[in-house]
Amino acid sequence: MRVLGIETSCDETGVAIYDTEQGLLADTLYSQVEMHAQYGGVVPELASRDHIKRLIPLIRQVLEQADTSVEQIEAIAYTAGPGLIGALMVGAATARAIALTWDVPAIAVHHMEGHLLAPMLESNPPSFPFVALLVSGGHTQLVEVKAIGEYQLLGESLDDAAGEAFDKAAKMLGLDYPGGPVIAKLAERGDKTRFRFPRPMVDRPGMDMSFSGLKTFTLNTVNKFKSTDSLDVQTQADIAAAFEEAVVDTLAIKCKRALQHTQFKQLIIAGGVSANSRLREKLQQMVVTQKASLFYARAEFCTDNGAMIAFAGAQRLVAGQSNDLTIMARPRWPMSELEPL
Ligand code: KG4
Ligand code: ZN
């Protein structure tokens, strides 16, 4: 089955074509990052308007790239949530209208299920069951995954998502949006031992997390230097490195608990923060001690993209699932509401 996937939940317009026999045929992305950077974060109304502008040209482009005619598309998968309502509406309405015109089924895909299945687009994919650490700009969750749609939440952030913490810490340091990749780059030049940031909630049992305290710690550290006008580049890099190390350490401790709790031997990481090399390195060291393996997608499939939506949609479509003519857009949509295959 050949599926066109559409992702517009936030600030990236992603379109891809996935074929269940031949694999990923084409994948395009337009990132709005530059447009939002001048405001220091995503401006929802601007995001929606830009998706309108980009979506149809990207669909044309991806069809051409995949050497695929309209008649060869057998279904359409679109992100229905969670995300920004206006941005979701653009993708959902476009996808639903095109599906009606082309007379093919459409399926509403959960954005986080898309992220969760993205490592399966790689060679040597994980197999069920596994533990998934979902770390994006809006979510930080540890999930026990028995099969597609069989998700049990093991723990989650009680306040800020890990990506959000990266973005806010970057802002405090006067760095660009999105902060994750910028902090990661700066941290490479930093000394992670100069400052010792707390590892929140690691002394408490369970797999819940909290990142808002790290934010306050960052602010206080930055302000100490700002007040004496001594926040030089090296200090910025040292703070970035200490912050990153604290986030990564905390995530690694919670992931280890999740592996021990489930007795599963596979850990997958997905979502924007899973592109972080220090996180990958730390988790790789940790899984070895648990005789487990670590899986993640290539960096461009960690952040938002159309390929993961085409892939996740295709898995449900081949199992016979699809949605009616309703244009489905759900800003909030708990993963626990998803049906098994
Ligand atoms: O999954 P994603 O593209 O969008 C959401 O669904 O939220 O994740 C975006 C988040 C942002 O907070 C961004 O700062 C973070 O992922 N991110 C990173 C890295 N690349 C992106 N955080 C840490 N290190 C990175 N290399
Ligand atoms: Zn995402």
Side-chain angles (χ1 to χ4, degrees):
M1 178 184 275
R2 199 166 284 195
V3 181
L4 175 73
I6 294 176
E7 155 64 33
T8 64
S9 69
C10 190
D11 58 348
E12 250 115 27
T13 322
V15 184
I17 296 176
Y18 180 81
D19 186 295
T20 49
E21 260 90 64
Q22 295 170 41
L24 188 65
L25 299 183
D27 165 55
T28 55
L29 186 84
Y30 179 83
S31 172
Q32 306 175 354
V33 157
E34 238 174 84
M35 176 176 76
H36 297 295
Q38 54 184 309
Y39 304 101
V42 178
V43 183
E45 184 56 26
L46 294 182
S48 323
R49 291 185 204 184
D50 207 63
H51 285 307
I52 296 176
K53 266 204 296 212
R54 311 287 170 191
L55 192 49
I56 301 287
L58 282 182
I59 293 172
R60 290 214 172 94
Q61 192 184 320
V62 94
L63 284 167
E64 198 175 314
Q65 249 181 43
D67 198 16
T68 294
S69 68
V70 163
E71 291 73 30
Q72 286 172 291
I73 296 293
E74 290 163 277
I76 299 184
Y78 66 91
T79 304
L84 303 169
I85 183 64
L88 289 168
M89 282 298 291
V90 176
T94 308
R96 205 36 275 184
I98 294 178
L100 185 67
T101 316
W102 293 354
D103 196 21
V104 293
I107 189 152
V109 176
H110 192 288
H111 181 78
M112 297 313 292
E113 179 168 85
H115 275 306
L116 190 149
L117 299 178
M120 292 188 154
L121 281 161
E122 305 301 336
S123 50
N124 183 29
S127 53
F128 299 109
F130 52 72
V131 169
L133 171 70
L134 302 176
V135 266
S136 69
H139 293 79
T140 301
Q141 299 182 322
L142 263 165
V143 187
E144 177 178 333
V145 181
K146 291 220 176 87
I148 291 178
E150 290 179 47
Y151 309 130
Q152 173 108 41
L153 187 67
L154 297 170
E156 64 184 333
S157 175
L158 303 177
D159 39 59
D160 293 355
E164 188 182 356
F166 267 99
D167 295 338
K168 287 179 177 167
K171 215 171 192 174
M172 292 167 191
L173 283 164
L175 306 170
D176 284 343
Y177 174 86
V182 187
I183 289 213
K185 183 124 214 316
L186 192 60
E188 283 170 16
R189 291 191 276 148
D191 168 8
K192 51 179 174 283
T193 61
R194 178 167 163 205
F195 303 102
R196 173 78 190 174
F197 278 48
R199 271 63 173 156
M201 291 182 71
V202 294
D203 51 353
R204 271 191 252 172
M207 288 162 269
D208 283 336
M209 295 158 261
S210 160
F211 294 104
S212 73
L214 273 180
K215 198 174 58 185
T216 315
F217 199 89
T218 308
L219 186 65
N220 292 340
T221 311
V222 168
N223 282 346
K224 238 189 284 168
F225 286 91
K226 269 193 179 159
S227 63
T228 53
D229 212 13
S230 55
L231 188 67
D232 53 36
V233 180
Q234 191 54 50
T235 303
Q236 272 184 317
D238 296 343
I239 293 174
F243 169 84
E244 181 181 59
E245 201 61 13
V247 174
V248 164
D249 250 352
T250 308
L251 292 172
I253 291 165
K254 300 290 174 170
C255 285
K256 184 173 168 183
R257 279 186 201 167
L259 286 175
Q260 288 170 342
H261 172 84
T262 58
Q263 297 283 305
F264 291 173
K265 292 295 169 201
Q266 297 176 99
L267 171 68
I268 73 112
I269 51 172
V273 183
S274 68
N276 186 281
S277 348
R278 185 67 187 136
L279 177 66
R280 292 174 169 198
E281 195 177 44
K282 239 316 147 29
L283 289 178
Q284 185 53 51
Q285 291 164 1
M286 183 278 287
V287 294
V288 170
T289 69
Q290 303 303 303
K291 298 193 170 52
S293 313
L294 178 68
F295 299 84
Y296 43 76
R298 69 196 86 161
E300 64 264 39
F301 291 166
C302 289
T303 46
D304 293 349
N305 64 88
M308 67 182 194
I309 302 304
F311 179 78
Q315 306 312 307
R316 290 187 172 275
L317 285 157
V318 291
Q321 296 185 7
S322 67
N323 295 95
D324 62 15
L325 289 174
T326 314
I327 295 168
M328 207 174 129
R330 295 186 60 178
R332 271 182 251 294
W333 184 7
M335 265 180 104
S336 54
E337 287 181 20
L338 290 176
E339 281 174 40
L341 280 196

